Amino acid sequence: QVQLVQSGTEVKKPGASVKVSCKASGYIFTNHAISWVRQAPGQGLEWMGWISAYDGNTNYAQKFKGRVTMTTDTSTRTAYMELRSLRSDDTAVYYCARQLSKDPDPFDYWGQGTLVTVSS
Amino acid sequence: DIQLTQSPSFLSASVGDRVTITCRASQGIGSSLAWYQQKPGKAPELLIYAASTLQSGVPSRFSGRGSGTEFTLTISSLQPEDFATYYCQQLNNYPRTFGPGTKVDVK
C-alpha cells in the first residue's frame, strides 16, 4: 500500500533552517510528483510547491521562492523540503503529498505531517 | 493567483442531514477542482477530484458538481464520521490554492 512517512517534530530558532523528509513506499516513486503543504495552528492549508520525482523539476509558490528548496533522492525514494531563514510565522505542520500522475493532479496520498516550531 | 471562497465557513448539522458546501473560484478553472476532508490532528484525505470524480474508497454519499467558477460538495446523509473540516483546491493554475475550509460540526 502507498505510504508517505515523514520525519519527526522539529524545534528551531528564528533564522535557522529546517529540512523535512518524506519517505515513499508502495508505488513507483518516479511516476508521481510530490507537493508540500503547510498548516499553521488552527489555520487552513497552504501549498508551498511541487517537485517532479522523475526529473527534479520544481515549481515553488511565489511566497516561498528564495527560502525553500525541494529535492528528491530516487535511490532512497525520499523527498525533502528545506526552509531557510525561519520566522515564528513558519510554525506549522508540514505535509508532503503525492500527486496523481494525470491531469488534474490532486493529492491522493499524504504524509502524517511534521510539526515545525520556530521559537526563540 | 486564483482565490477560492467557501460557504458556509461553519455548518452545524445532525446525523442523517443532507449537507451542501459551496466553493467559488475567482476565475474559471474548468473542472479542475478537488475536495478534501480533514479531521483534527490528521492529514487531509482526498474525497473528489475533477469536480465530480469520487476517489477510490470514498463512500458514495459524497458527491461533487460544478464547473467554471462554482462548485458544490454534497453529503447525502451525514454520518458520525463525517464531522470534519472540508477544503476545496483548484488544480488549474499554480499556485495550487485551497479554500479557507468549512467546518461541519454536531448540531
Side-chain angles (χ1 to χ4, degrees), chain A residues 33-69:
Chain A
I34 295 284
S35 269
W36 290 88
V37 176
R38 75 178 186 179
Q39 187 169 38
Q43 302 301 308
L45 303 169
E46 182 175 31
W47 182 81
M48 300 179 67
W50 158 103
I51 181 166
S52 166
Y54 175 73
D55 59 12
N57 281 347
T58 55
N59 187 324
Y60 302 142
Q62 185 65 38
K63 174 178 179 176
F64 299 102
K65 281 183 181 176
R67 257 197 338 133
V68 72
T69 302

Side-chain angles (χ1 to χ4, degrees), chain A residues 7 21 26-27 35 43 47 55 60 64 81 95 97 104 107 113 117-118:
Chain A
S7 48
S21 67
Y27 71 95
S35 269
Q43 302 301 308
W47 182 81
D55 59 12
Y60 302 142
F64 299 102
M81 186 283 300
Y95 294 102
F107 305 167
T117 300
V118 183

Side-chain angles (χ1 to χ4, degrees), chain A residues 39 47 95 105 107 110-111, chain B residues 36 38 42-43 89 94 96:
Chain A
Q39 187 169 38
W47 182 81
Y95 294 102
D105 51 357
F107 305 167
W110 294 63
Chain B
Y36 300 86
Q38 187 180 33
K42 300 294 187 182
Q89 180 199 26
Y94 287 101
R96 299 289 205 231

Side-chain angles (χ1 to χ4, degrees), chain B residues 75-97:
Chain B
I75 309 171
S76 60
S77 177
L78 198 66
Q79 297 302 299
E81 60 269 29
D82 300 337
F83 292 101
T85 299
Y86 294 84
Y87 294 94
C88 57
Q89 180 199 26
Q90 65 82 19
L91 299 162
N92 194 63
N93 286 35
Y94 287 101
R96 299 289 205 231
T97 44

Side-chain angles (χ1 to χ4, degrees), chain B residues 11-15 17 19 78 83 104-107:
Chain B
L11 191 160
S12 293
S14 302
V15 172
D17 284 353
V19 165
L78 198 66
F83 292 101
V104 178
D105 64 9
V106 179
K107 182 183 283 185

Side-chain angles (χ1 to χ4, degrees), chain A residues 22-25 29 72-80:
Chain A
C22 170
K23 186 170 179 60
S25 60
F29 183 65
T72 58
D73 181 340
T74 55
S75 68
T76 60
R77 306 162 58 86
T78 303
Y80 298 91

